[in-house]
Amino acid sequence: MTAAVVACGALLAALSGCGSDGVRPADAGGAEGPRHPAVAALPATDPTRIPGVGDRLQRQIPDDSGQVLAVYGDGEDSPDSTVVLYMKEGPEWRPVARWAAHNGRNGWTTDHHTGDDRTPVGVFGLSSAGGVLDDPGSRLPYDQNVYAYAPTLPGEAYEHVFDYVIAIDYNRRPGTVPHDPVRPLGDDKGGGIWLHLDHGDGTSACVSLPKEAMKFLLRTLDPDQHPVMVMGDRRELRA
């Protein structure tokens, strides 16, 4: 447990800032139940492909995946991005949700290392979740652990960043709890890269989203659909 807390603390220590989510709710609820967020679909000439993703990464999306969370970074050195959830209907991909988001404060990299404050480009599985708060109805295995996900820095800006997290399967053992400390590629290649609550600025390497977006994803990402993330700056995504 100590190692997990230290790992989470190291991840959070590099985070900076916190603020409003800046997007419309993803899970508004009401008499008719939860609603999808408004979606402005990216232009696509082939509905059987994820828009804006070139052959190199398109080929890495597993054939049995029915859910893709695409992160479109504004630029190689930008912390700003847009996240779109696509779900497969027959042979076609349909956009069902979109949010403003943040990635590493220094942007993106195809060769991530500990401390570079860049988010790794690639295709990664989404196999487990957790957080400080009670399970909101997650389809992914959910690990509630107040101590493992507790922020180590004082102040309101960091108070809720790990209320909900979804592990991104970069340099980790898929299916283990998000705070699992094992790094198969070695510690120098970084790890502990998650989807978590947005704090209004770039991260150390994670992707951050509004709270309602995280709840929506936890209730929507289905292990039976083999969900994956495709993420990077727009130029690398198109390569």
Side-chain angles (χ1 to χ4, degrees):
M1 181 61 70
T2 301
V5 174
V6 170
C8 290
L11 173 67
L12 182 60
L15 298 174
S16 67
C18 186
S20 61
D21 55 49
V23 301
R24 285 167 287 189
D27 189 10
E32 299 180 356
R35 299 195 299 266
H36 293 316
V39 175
L42 297 175
T45 56
D46 184 351
T48 66
R49 297 170 60 94
I50 301 298
V53 177
D55 290 343
R56 177 173 60 88
L57 294 178
Q58 198 86 41
R59 286 193 295 263
Q60 296 179 36
I61 298 173
D63 291 339
D64 60 357
S65 179
Q67 296 175 322
V68 169
L69 194 65
V71 185
Y72 299 94
D74 283 2
E76 180 181 0
D77 301 321
S78 172
D80 300 319
S81 52
T82 300
V83 172
V84 181
L85 175 63
Y86 296 92
M87 298 181 68
K88 209 166 195 179
E89 292 186 352
E92 298 184 358
W93 289 102
R94 179 174 65 92
V96 298
R98 176 180 178 173
W99 303 275
H102 288 100
N103 49 264
R105 67 169 52 82
N106 288 336
W108 298 88
T109 181
T110 57
D111 186 22
H112 176 68
H113 290 274
T114 300
D116 65 12
D117 289 345
R118 292 181 179 270
T119 301
V121 174
V123 177
F124 307 103
L126 299 169
S127 58
S128 61
V132 172
L133 299 181
D134 292 342
D135 183 350
S138 175
R139 294 189 176 193
L140 297 172
Y142 189 87
D143 170 60
Q144 183 187 20
N145 191 318
V146 172
Y147 300 102
Y149 304 107
T152 57
L153 296 179
E156 184 177 354
Y158 305 101
E159 188 174 355
H160 297 291
V161 286
F162 297 147
D163 279 359
Y164 299 123
V165 307
I166 298 173
I168 299 171
D169 289 341
Y170 167 84
N171 197 17
R172 69 182 303 271
R173 299 181 297 179
T176 58
V177 295
H179 57 83
D180 177 53
V182 176
R183 305 286 178 256
L185 301 177
D187 291 342
D188 182 59
K189 294 295 289 181
I193 298 178
W194 299 341
L195 284 159
H196 64 67
L197 269 64
D198 192 58
H199 49 82
D201 202 352
T203 70
S204 61
C206 296
V207 175
S208 61
L209 289 165
K211 182 176 182 178
E212 293 305 315
M214 288 296 297
K215 290 170 67 176
F216 180 86
L217 290 174
L218 287 166
R219 294 167 179 168
T220 303
L221 295 176
D222 183 353
D224 291 339
Q225 296 294 317
H226 308 287
V228 298
M229 289 188 73
V230 180
M231 60 185 194
D233 59 278
R234 293 180 187 272
R235 185 178 66 178
E236 280 293 335
L237 287 177
R238 290 192 301 265

